[in-house]
Each structure stands twice: as structure tokens, then as C-alpha cells.
Amino acid sequence: MRSIHRKGLISGASKLLDLPEEVVLNLPKVTVVAGVQVIIENHLGIILYQPDCLRIRARGGELRLEGQRLSIASISATEIVVDGRVSSLAFPSFAAQKEEK
Amino acid sequence: MGFFRYGLQGYVVIRVKGARLETFVNMANREGIVLSNVSRPVPDRLYCSVSVKDFRRLRPIIKSLRLAVEIRRRRGLPFLARRLFQHQALMVGIVAVGLLLYLASGFIWFINLDNVPPEVRVQVKAVLGQAGITTGVRSRGIEVRELERLLLTELESLSWAAVEIRGTALFVEAVLRTSFEEKRDQPCHLVAAKSGVVDSLITFAGLPVVRKGQTVQAGDVLISGVVPLDYFGPEVYNNENVAPGPDSLLGRAGRWGYLFADGLVQALTWYDAAAEVRYASQQRERTGRQTCAYYLGLGERTLALGRKVSPYVEFETEEQTWYWPLPWRLGEIRLVRLVYRELQTVQIKIEPEEAKLEALRLARAKIRAQLPPEATILDEQIRFLTEDGRVRAEVLVSAREDIGLHRRVAVGEPPPANWEGFVIND
């Protein structure tokens, strides 16, 4: 409860100071290139990797990529580049958190 | 995989087999090991590329997760170099060929005299030979400007020479002195190049034999290069070895002296031309449709590629040719493209006034083609004739121009018949 409170405070401050939230809160930033490439910054590792599904851990929840022939073009401490035919991109746990709020 | 990042330091493509493959990726990631081209075609196998340096750091992870790793491919410069070093003869060959090409490119292998007039090619070659320029000489030491100067000083018949080194070829270009300068040492008449009426006459040397207002025909002598010696006074007339004044004699025979007659003779000349234009005419126009035929050629042989003949009834053809020279002067490969453009006949109707202007334009163009550029147009007369659907423009132009032309005289030849009554330096 306290952490949610604190997060809201930081988020409000970052909005006030016009700072990018993903940097201040270390949230994942996702860039999609027309369904052929997805770049995820600020990830915390892979939960599941299959050719048709990729689940990525991030601060505050997980990201779920679905598609065909998904491959990880490169993976480093901060960034994952995913190639393949991406059909859907979902943030299940992020959505749940927002509803909770 | 970026070439500079991975190609230079080398990378391996590995296959990892086991159950906890996601953990493997995450652990590698935590260690700062960059994996790329990660794919997992089947659940228990994962393929990825990793740099050689990072591959060694993967070992503890692999061990702790009890995975099986196999190197599938080795890529990059270090592996390529190792492979090449295993074939030392090949390496030596490559280096030797490269070295040979580099060394050979520093020599002159061809001397091209195509742009040297054929009558002096042998002499030019001889002068080049004197200067030590033959095939096989090093191109570095050749002083091109010096060589040009040498050609001009050694061969007086040249008025201009250029030497250029392009790669392994030496190109020489030269121009002969104009014939005018050459002829100065030969006795000459100044004759009329075309018919006209003499308008002004200035004599530089020789005996003028026409007057202002006189009609001359093409070929008539205007200034004679054969002069009576008594014009020069007794000191010349009596002494064989004396050259008279500025008009030096080039020969003498009896009472005649021979010299290079020169002067400026302006005459009035006339030009006429006519052109016809139809009010109603047919013209062929392009329809915009076109097809191409290609031919490949080597020497005398040609090979048609695909279509050979035009598919159109009325058409015009344009030929475009590309050449690729073959090494060792084997000739060249030609690619010929024939563009067939379809034409159609179109009826054209022109207003009579427009037709007149067009006819006049055509007739004037014909005159301009005959008229020397330095001629001055004095007068122009235009006449139009109209008959059954055509208009005819007749243009008569009078102009003033220099009609003098040098013609050689042989020593011993008599002077022109009408010389009497004229004086030198009138």
C-alpha cells in the first residue's frame, strides 16, 4: 500500500516536472515497428520463450507478445529486440493494477 | 550482428539443449553477455550467436544449469584468417597477384597515337623513343609537360601536342600546323574562292591584277605571285642573290620573280536559295509506343537477344551502343539496343501566312548554311510564289566577304595574262 502511494507521488512529480515516466519509474518502454519488430527497453528478463509466445518480465508486471516465428534478434541488460510476425502485444498485469487503483 | 562489432572480433553460433532455457538467457543477461539471433524452433533447443569473448563467460552458466552446448558455426575475421592460414599457398598466391598488379600498374603498357595525324606518327614515336618512352617504362618518372615541349621543339610540323597518362596507357594527341603557314615558303597567287565583284583590295605582297568594281570568277587571280623583276629596281633585277625588300623572292626565272602573294580582297557576292512549304501536308509523328531489340556483339559477330524485327508497320529506329573493352586488346563487347518507335501519318494544315513564314525560314536557313560566318549581309530580296497548295519563298542575299585563297605557282610559270598596267603597292 505504501509503495503504491510512493509510486503515485513520484509519478505526479515526474508529470509536474515534465520528465519521462519510464525513466523516473523505470517502466518498460515498448517500440513497435509495424508488427515485424518490437523493442522493449527496461526489461527484467524472460519468463517464457516459445516461437509463438514471448513473456517478458518488467517492473510492475509482465509483457506478453504473441505471433509467429518470434526470435530475439538481440538481448542485453537493458533492451530486447524481437523479430518475427507479432500479432498481439498485451500488458495483463499492468491493466490489473490500474483497475485495482 | 553488426559487422564491426562482431565480424572483426569473431562470433560463434551455438545450440543450447536443455530444459531451463529462459533461465539461461536471463543469467547470461545478468552477467552482461549479449546474445543475439536467439531462436527456439523446438521447446528444448535454443540457437543464438555470441561473441568469442562472451562464449567463454557462458561456461559457468551452462554448467550450473546442466545444459548441452554445441558450436554450430564459427564466423568473423579471426576464423576466416585462421582458415586462410591453413591454405598458405593460396595466401601466397593472392598476395603475389595483388603485388604483381600493383607493380604492373606503375608501368606504361600501351602507347596510344590514335589522335596523332598519321603522317607524323612515325616521327612522334621516334621522338618518344629518344626520350626513353617505350612500352614497359615506369610511368612515375615521365614528365608529361617536358615531353610535350620536346615533341613541339623536335617536330616543327606540329603546332600543338598533348601527352596524358591514364592508368597504364600513354595517350599522345597532336595537331599539324595549318597549311597556310606551311605554304609561306612556296610561291603562291591569291585567287578568288568564289565569283563576285571586287569591293576592296589591300595588297600585302605581290602584284594586284584586279581593280575595285571588277567582276571576278572563282579561280581568277587577284594578286599575282609572279611579278616582273623590274618592279624591284636594277639592284634586284641585275643581282641574282639579292632579295628585294620585304617581299622576299622565293624564286626567279628570266624577268619574273616568284613570291608568296598575300592580301585582303573583299568582294560582293550573291547567294540565292528557295524553299517550298505545302499548306496541307502529311507528316509522320511518333505515337509514343516503342519496343527494343538487343544485340550482343564481339568483333564481327552479333547475337540477337530476343526480338529481332520491328512489330510496327511505320517506325523509326534508333541505335544505342555500349562498349566494354576486353583486356589484352582482345577487342570489345558491344551491346546494341535498337529502339523501334512507332510512327503514324498525320495530315497537317497550315495557314497560308504561316506557310510563307516557314518557307522563308527554310530558305534563309539554306543561305546561312552556304554563307561563311565572317561575311556581312548587305541586302536581302524575298519573293513568294504561290501555286496549287504550295508556297515557294525565293531569297537572294548580297554579302561582302573575303574571297582570297592561296594557290601555288610553279617557278617558271608565266604571270597572269592581264598583269600589264598594274603596279605593285598600288
Side-chain angles (χ1 to χ4, degrees), chain A residues 43 45-49 51 71-77, chain B residues 22 25-26 29 33-41 46:
Chain A
H43 71 95
I46 293 171
I47 303 167
L48 175 78
Y49 173 37
S71 74
I72 299 167
S74 77
I75 175 164
S76 68
Chain B
E22 282 90 355
V25 173
N26 288 334
N29 202 2
I33 296 167
V34 178
L35 301 178
S36 46
N37 294 339
V38 184
S39 65
R40 193 181 185 183
L46 187 127

Side-chain angles (χ1 to χ4, degrees), chain B residues 273-277 356-367:
Chain B
E276 275 186 0
V277 170
K356 266 186 177 177
L357 285 178
E358 180 63 14
L360 182 60
R361 197 184 62 78
L362 290 174
R364 276 181 175 156
K366 278 186 193 171
I367 285 182

Side-chain angles (χ1 to χ4, degrees), chain B residues 132-388:
Chain B
I133 310 297
T134 49
T135 48
V137 79
R138 272 192 78 90
S139 53
R140 204 163 176 190
I142 299 174
E143 290 285 340
V144 173
R145 300 284 155 260
E146 199 56 49
L147 211 56
E148 285 170 0
R149 215 166 301 138
L150 186 72
L151 281 171
L152 288 179
T153 47
E154 290 292 310
L155 302 172
E156 281 178 1
S157 56
L158 297 184
S159 69
W160 179 80
V163 179
E164 196 190 348
I165 296 172
R166 272 185 251 158
T168 58
L170 182 105
F171 288 82
V172 182
E173 209 173 319
V175 175
L176 283 178
R177 268 183 205 287
T178 51
S179 48
F180 182 78
E181 282 176 84
E182 241 184 354
K183 274 198 290 190
R184 274 203 171 274
D185 56 358
Q186 300 272 350
C188 273
H189 283 318
L190 193 75
V191 301
K194 46 182 89 166
S195 308
V197 173
V198 176
D199 189 48
S200 72
L201 185 115
I202 302 163
T203 311
F204 301 151
L207 175 67
V209 291
V210 290
R211 289 203 168 84
K212 189 182 169 180
Q214 189 177 329
T215 307
V216 290
Q217 299 295 319
D220 283 357
V221 177
L222 303 171
I223 301 173
S224 170
V226 184
V227 293
L229 283 176
D230 42 3
Y231 276 153
F232 294 105
E235 68 273 18
V236 174
Y237 188 67
N238 295 328
N239 191 341
E240 294 254 325
N241 300 320
V242 173
D247 311 335
S248 48
L249 283 185
L250 297 165
R252 47 199 293 166
R255 60 174 293 219
W256 304 111
Y258 292 81
L259 46 77
F260 181 82
D262 200 9
L264 209 62
V265 183
Q266 296 246 310
L268 304 178
T269 50
W270 285 270
Y271 295 89
D272 59 350
E276 275 186 0
V277 170
R278 284 176 179 277
Y279 296 155
S281 66
Q282 289 187 338
Q283 198 173 316
R284 302 218 295 172
E285 273 186 358
R286 288 179 186 172
T287 62
R289 279 195 290 183
Q290 62 176 54
T291 50
C292 297
Y294 292 92
Y295 291 88
L296 210 58
L298 178 66
E300 299 283 302
R301 289 156 188 256
T302 51
L303 176 72
L305 307 171
R307 180 193 297 282
K308 281 184 196 168
V309 291
S310 162
Y312 310 122
V313 182
E314 274 186 277
F315 62 95
E316 60 178 9
T317 316
E318 189 192 334
E319 191 178 307
Q320 296 163 321
T321 313
W322 293 270
Y323 297 97
W324 289 281
L326 293 173
W328 314 118
R329 305 203 145 182
L330 282 176
E332 52 200 4
I333 293 179
R334 265 185 335 271
L335 177 67
V336 182
R337 176 161 79 173
L338 289 177
V339 183
Y340 298 117
R341 293 206 175 85
E342 193 184 27
L343 297 175
Q344 62 186 14
T345 308
V346 185
Q347 293 287 339
I348 292 178
K349 284 218 163 124
I350 310 173
E351 292 296 314
E353 273 311 304
E354 237 177 274
K356 266 186 177 177
L357 285 178
E358 180 63 14
L360 182 60
R361 197 184 62 78
L362 290 174
R364 276 181 175 156
K366 278 186 193 171
I367 285 182
R368 219 172 304 127
Q370 302 171 36
L371 210 60
E374 62 277 3
T376 324
I377 295 177
L378 300 175
D379 186 36
E380 185 189 47
Q381 288 174 26
I382 303 164
R383 201 157 65 123
F384 290 110
L385 299 168
T386 314
E387 51 184 47
D388 51 54

Side-chain angles (χ1 to χ4, degrees), chain A residues 6-25:
Chain A
R6 198 171 144 238
K7 218 188 256 176
L9 207 68
I10 295 172
S11 167
S14 74
K15 268 180 194 155
L16 197 74
L17 297 171
D18 219 8
L19 292 169
E21 247 176 303
E22 80 270 11
V23 178
V24 178
L25 296 174

